[in-house]
Amino acid sequence: MALKRGLSSVGVQRSRSSGSRLRIVILFFFSILTLLVFFVGQGLYISDEDSVQSGFGKQICIILKWVLQNVDWRERLASQSIKNLFTKEVIDVVSTSTADLGPLSLDSFRKGNLSTSWKVIGVESSVADKATSQSNQKATDLKQEMSQVKEGKLPNDDHSHDMLTTTLRRQLRDNRREKHVAGLVQKDDEATVKLENAAIERSKAVDSAVLGKYNMWRKEIDNENSDSTVRLMSDQIILAKVYIIIASMKNKLDLRKELQIRLKESLHALGESTTDADLPHSASDKIKAMEKVLAKAREQLYDCKLMLGKLRAMLQASVEQVMSLKKDSMFLSQLAAKTVPNAIHCLSMRLTIEYYLLPAEKRKFPRSENLENPKLYHYALFSDNVLAASVVVNSTIMNAKDPSKHVFHLVTDKLNFGAMNMWFLLNPPGKATINVENVDEFKWLNSSYCPVLRQLETAAMKEYYFKADQPTNSGSSNLKYRNPKYLSMLNHLRFYLPQVYPKLDKILFLDDDIVVQKDLTGLWSVELHGKVNGAVETCGESFHRFDKYLNFSNPHISQNFDPNACGWAYGMNMFDLKVWRKKDITGIYHKWQNMNEDRALWKLGTLPPGLITFYGLTHPLQKSWHVLGLGYNPNVDKKEIESAAVIHYNGNMKPWLELAMTKYRSYWTKYIKYDHPYLHSCKFRNEPDYN
């Protein structure tokens, strides 16, 4: 009945005036909502006490159920009345201003993007503490007021309940947001402190770092105070030289003479010393005498601008001298790379003599029937270095699971043919098969068929290689490409593998400056996916790509190749000879070699034409198969070396030369028997004297 009377009253008020109707509807709606919140809050509060009664809980459930069933039509009625009174813009503003504020962010807090009900915290600790205490006090007061209402000490009307409930809810929301903001500020402060501490530690590490000295092969770290006397004398000598020049300019002849005398004494005392221990006992007296004359020179001659100019001139002269020495060093290293050590030359000559003293019937190798068996594992090795070839064969056999399935095809030149045969006749590779051939006996390899041979016979090429008055100041690169190995067909024979081995389907090409450390039989089962060449790629982010080897200013190169294409390495290459023949790889090589007669496409060598010939026809192998750089890079990772199947001494510092890097040489020497009679007689040493 009460519900009917309420509805009738609302209808009467609507007929009288729309203003009074709206107020009654809104009042009725908020009265029910306030009652609901009050009962829920009272129920939650009472649940914390021991005086909760089951009857009161049932009454709350009945009221909640009724409200949930009837709130929809009341809400629609109130909403419709509000829409009739206000415009859409006003309603949007109200709904936006009362919407949920969403997740709190530290940026919003710092920018002041908060409502007026927020308490500003984090500015000063005293203010924050005061705000927190006030918030806690308000919450306590509200709880006391609610308790008084329940006990009947305060009036329990709708307006009081509405006010208390709204205030308490706002206070709880404020407390929650204050805690959230405090947590964000604390986290931000902790992160800032952490970053500052890390920066301080890094700066300390930099300040205390010992920079040290570096040379080509080793790192030497100097103590901050080590050899300070040597450095002091060197600095005094430099200053004395500058003051001598200035004294001459200002006509201070007596002072100049005194400086020259002390300079001569200091130079004599310093000599070739690089450490304090090397200095003579008189060094300290020389330093004191030099300091006195330098002090005198400073009083009479010091001119900041003039001193700066002279020091710059001396620095420039020193830089030019260093550049000249670097060129000389590069020239000598290239020259050393071309030479054959006396011990290897001795070995080759002794073996050659012994070979030609053998009867013809004793010059043959066993198991020659395996040379054309495509089911076995075949290796191609082209070399004129007996010792290097022996290391390749020996290391391969020692690490092979079944040496009887491995066949080695060695090709050398006429000069070393007897020595190569004799060495392997004296030191057969166990159950493996080996054969040695002479490249000069390949009658089909002539200048009418091979462009390289034809080009080497031209006057321009002969002048390039053999003219005595060639300028040497054009850089070491020209000297590099004048290496005699580029004149040898052994270096170009790799482009004629199907012609050399017409009965084989696959062959593994090996350079003579490699060492095999693992069984290589798995390479024959690697799927090349229709490619001809299986090789390890050598390019990084910006180096060893095509533009390093080819001249992309030439339209023949720029129109046919990608300058960023990845380069790959010769040294260990699996060649599919069946696909080679099908795609006429040798014909492609001939085409480009003919176009490069004037060396406009690339410099001399075999890698650039190899990159061109096998462009798009190379399958990349895993890098662990082939690790390079042991002939020029002092920073190859030791773990990579030890886990590699093949290591490659590409570069000038070959392991059989005295300029080899000692840190890598043991990987090569472990496969040489230095107690062999021939090696002993030719004075081979395991560790050459590099000093």
Side-chain angles (χ1 to χ4, degrees):
M1 294 297 294
L3 181 61
K4 290 181 180 180
R5 284 196 298 271
L7 291 174
S8 300
S9 175
V10 171
V12 172
Q13 293 296 331
R14 183 185 303 170
S15 61
R16 291 180 179 179
S17 66
S18 59
S20 59
R21 178 182 58 191
L22 177 62
R23 284 194 297 272
I24 293 174
V25 170
I26 293 175
L27 179 62
F28 185 84
F29 175 78
F30 281 102
S31 297
I32 294 178
L33 183 61
T34 303
L35 184 63
L36 172 63
V37 174
F38 173 75
F39 280 134
V40 172
Q42 188 177 23
L44 292 174
Y45 180 83
I46 295 174
S47 63
D48 294 333
E49 308 292 337
D50 295 330
S51 60
V52 178
Q53 297 181 0
S54 60
F56 183 71
K58 291 181 180 180
Q59 293 177 3
I60 291 178
C61 292
I62 293 172
I63 294 173
L64 285 174
K65 184 176 181 181
W66 182 85
V67 170
L68 291 174
Q69 291 175 352
N70 296 276
V71 71
D72 291 338
W73 69 270
R74 295 180 182 278
E75 187 174 351
R76 288 196 302 271
L77 182 61
S79 176
Q80 185 62 37
S81 300
I82 291 173
K83 289 181 179 179
N84 293 333
L85 291 174
F86 301 100
T87 63
K88 183 177 182 301
E89 290 76 7
V90 174
I91 295 174
D92 290 340
V93 171
V94 173
S95 61
T96 302
S97 62
T98 58
D100 188 11
L101 295 178
L104 183 64
S105 67
L106 188 60
D107 291 338
S108 298
F109 172 77
R110 286 177 170 171
K111 293 176 181 177
N113 248 351
L114 304 173
S115 67
T116 56
S117 63
W118 282 60
K119 303 292 186 296
V120 180
I121 65 173
V123 179
E124 292 181 3
S125 58
S126 60
V127 176
D129 295 341
K130 183 177 180 181
T132 304
S133 62
Q134 291 177 356
S135 175
N136 294 335
Q137 182 64 37
K138 287 182 180 180
T140 304
D141 295 342
L142 286 171
K143 287 183 179 180
Q144 291 177 356
E145 291 178 5
M146 293 294 294
S147 301
Q148 292 176 359
V149 170
K150 294 173 188 176
E151 295 173 1
K153 297 179 181 180
L154 292 176
N156 191 8
D157 55 354
D158 293 342
H159 181 69
S160 299
H161 292 318
D162 186 18
M163 180 184 68
L164 292 174
T165 304
T166 303
T167 305
L168 180 59
R169 183 174 57 194
R170 177 180 297 175
Q171 184 63 41
L172 292 174
R173 184 177 70 246
D174 291 347
N175 291 341
R176 186 168 60 251
R177 289 180 175 174
E178 287 171 0
K179 291 179 181 179
H180 191 187
V181 171
L184 288 174
V185 172
Q186 183 179 3
K187 289 182 180 179
D188 187 65
D189 292 340
E190 291 175 356
T192 302
V193 171
K194 188 175 181 181
L195 289 174
E196 290 176 351
N197 292 336
I200 292 171
E201 292 300 323
R202 284 197 299 271
S203 64
K204 289 180 179 179
V206 172
D207 292 340
S208 61
V210 180
L211 300 180
K213 295 180 180 179
Y214 295 86
N215 66 11
M216 197 167 186
W217 297 297
R218 63 183 65 85
K219 174 182 177 183
E220 298 172 351
I221 300 179
D222 292 339
N223 188 285
E224 185 177 358
N225 297 319
S226 66
D227 305 323
S228 57
T229 307
V230 172
R231 292 202 298 271
L232 176 58
M233 293 188 72
S234 300
D235 292 342
Q236 286 183 338
I237 290 171
I238 294 173
L239 287 175
K241 290 180 178 179
V242 174
Y243 280 127
I244 288 172
I245 297 173
I246 298 176
S248 300
M249 293 173 57
K250 295 189 176 183
N251 202 25
K252 300 286 186 179
L253 303 182
D254 294 337
L255 183 57
R256 184 187 69 176
K257 184 176 181 180
E258 189 176 356
L259 285 167
Q260 288 175 337
I261 293 172
R262 299 308 178 196
L263 176 61
K264 185 177 181 180
E265 292 176 351
S266 295
L267 288 172
H268 180 72
L270 183 62
E272 300 294 331
S273 302
T274 56
T275 63
D276 290 353
D278 298 333
L279 292 173
H281 296 292
S282 61
S284 59
D285 296 333
K286 307 300 182 186
I287 291 175
K288 293 178 182 178
M290 177 64 83
E291 183 59 35
K292 290 181 180 179
V293 72
L294 288 177
K296 184 178 179 181
R298 276 194 293 269
E299 294 177 359
Q300 300 183 22
L301 304 176
Y302 185 75
D303 184 329
C304 182
K305 186 176 181 180
L306 191 57
M307 286 286 293
L308 182 60
K310 296 303 178 184
L311 287 172
R312 283 182 175 176
M314 292 179 65
L315 178 62
Q316 182 63 30
S318 299
V319 170
E320 292 177 357
Q321 185 179 10
V322 169
M323 294 301 295
S324 177
L325 291 174
K326 286 180 66 176
K327 289 182 179 180
D328 293 343
S329 176
M330 295 177 70
F331 172 82
L332 293 174
S333 65
Q334 294 288 349
L335 186 63
K338 297 178 182 181
T339 59
V340 178
N342 287 335
I344 294 179
H345 181 70
C346 168
L347 177 64
S348 181
M349 293 299 100
R350 286 179 178 269
L351 291 171
T352 300
I353 293 171
E354 294 293 333
Y355 177 76
Y356 287 108
L357 292 176
L358 280 179
E361 62 273 10
K362 293 185 178 181
R363 299 179 184 177
K364 296 181 180 180
F365 293 100
R367 296 181 289 274
S368 60
E369 67 277 3
N370 293 336
L371 296 177
E372 296 181 350
N373 186 351
K375 296 181 180 180
L376 300 179
Y377 306 122
H378 295 265
Y379 300 85
L381 175 60
F382 309 146
S383 175
D384 57 0
N385 188 324
V386 176
L387 193 63
S390 70
V391 170
V392 175
V393 174
N394 193 24
S395 62
T396 305
I397 296 302
M398 289 181 65
N399 292 286
K401 294 180 179 179
D402 187 1
S404 63
K405 294 184 178 180
H406 296 260
V407 182
F408 293 89
H409 302 266
L410 272 70
V411 181
T412 187
D413 55 16
K414 184 189 299 184
L415 182 63
N416 295 281
F417 178 73
M420 198 75 73
N421 276 279
M422 191 64 192
W423 176 264
F424 289 105
L425 287 171
L426 293 172
N427 307 281
K431 296 180 180 180
T433 302
I434 195 165
N435 183 54
V436 180
E437 295 181 89
N438 182 3
V439 67
D440 296 310
E441 294 181 358
F442 295 163
K443 302 302 180 183
W444 52 269
L445 196 62
N446 50 56
S447 58
S448 62
Y449 175 66
C450 178
V452 172
L453 283 175
R454 183 171 61 255
Q455 292 167 8
L456 289 175
E457 294 177 355
T458 62
M461 194 67 72
K462 289 179 180 178
E463 182 180 8
Y464 180 78
Y465 272 106
F466 303 112
K467 189 174 181 181
D469 58 349
Q470 281 282 352
T472 58
N473 57 357
S474 58
S476 62
S477 59
N478 285 346
L479 180 64
K480 173 183 176 181
Y481 293 114
R482 291 192 184 96
N483 195 313
K485 71 178 183 179
Y486 297 120
L487 295 174
S488 173
M489 277 310 299
L490 288 175
N491 202 44
H492 297 270
L493 196 60
R494 63 192 68 189
F495 293 104
Y496 301 96
L497 288 172
Q499 290 85 343
V500 181
Y501 310 109
K503 300 293 183 65
L504 300 181
D505 297 333
K506 274 190 175 183
I507 197 165
L508 184 64
F509 172 79
L510 298 176
D511 268 343
D512 63 357
D513 56 352
I514 63 103
V515 173
V516 179
Q517 300 186 129
K518 293 183 180 180
D519 181 50
L520 299 181
T521 55
L523 284 170
W524 275 266
S525 60
V526 173
E527 178 59 50
L528 299 182
H529 302 284
K531 309 293 185 180
V532 183
N533 175 27
V536 171
E537 293 182 335
T538 58
C539 62
E541 294 181 357
S542 61
F543 57 93
H544 286 184
R545 298 184 182 271
F546 271 43
D547 58 354
K548 175 180 175 63
Y549 305 100
L550 305 177
N551 178 20
F552 276 86
S553 63
N554 189 292
H556 294 294
I557 297 296
S558 59
Q559 294 173 9
N560 290 280
F561 304 101
D562 180 8
N564 293 316
C566 192
W568 45 267
Y570 270 127
M572 190 207 71
N573 305 80
M574 176 59 69
F575 290 112
D576 189 328
L577 301 184
K578 294 174 65 176
V579 181
W580 184 310
R581 298 182 186 99
K582 182 178 180 181
K583 295 185 179 294
D584 190 20
I585 298 300
T586 304
I588 297 174
Y589 163 69
H590 282 175
K591 168 192 170 184
W592 286 101
Q593 191 67 53
N594 284 323
M595 294 173 62
N596 192 48
E597 186 171 0
D598 56 354
R599 299 185 302 281
L601 305 184
W602 68 84
K603 298 292 185 180
L604 295 177
T606 53
L607 181 56
L611 297 175
I612 289 178
T613 302
F614 296 102
Y615 182 67
L617 299 173
T618 299
H619 174 73
L621 300 177
Q622 293 183 358
K623 292 186 180 297
S624 60
W625 280 112
H626 187 190
V627 170
L628 300 103
L630 278 70
Y632 71 92
N633 183 6
N635 299 315
V636 182
D637 191 351
K638 184 177 180 181
K639 293 182 179 179
E640 290 185 3
I641 294 174
E642 294 176 350
S643 63
V646 169
I647 56 176
H648 195 171
Y649 293 84
N650 57 313
N652 288 331
M653 302 174 193
K654 304 299 184 186
W656 55 83
L657 299 175
E658 289 192 358
L659 52 79
M661 285 182 275
T662 54
K663 62 187 294 187
Y664 303 141
R665 197 168 186 271
S666 60
Y667 297 107
W668 187 79
T669 56
K670 66 187 290 187
Y671 294 103
I672 298 176
K673 296 180 179 180
Y674 285 93
D675 57 351
H676 191 282
Y678 281 87
L679 299 184
H680 182 72
S681 63
C682 287
K683 299 181 180 180
F684 276 91
R685 292 174 294 176
N686 190 3
E687 294 296 335
D689 184 9
Y690 291 96
N691 298 323

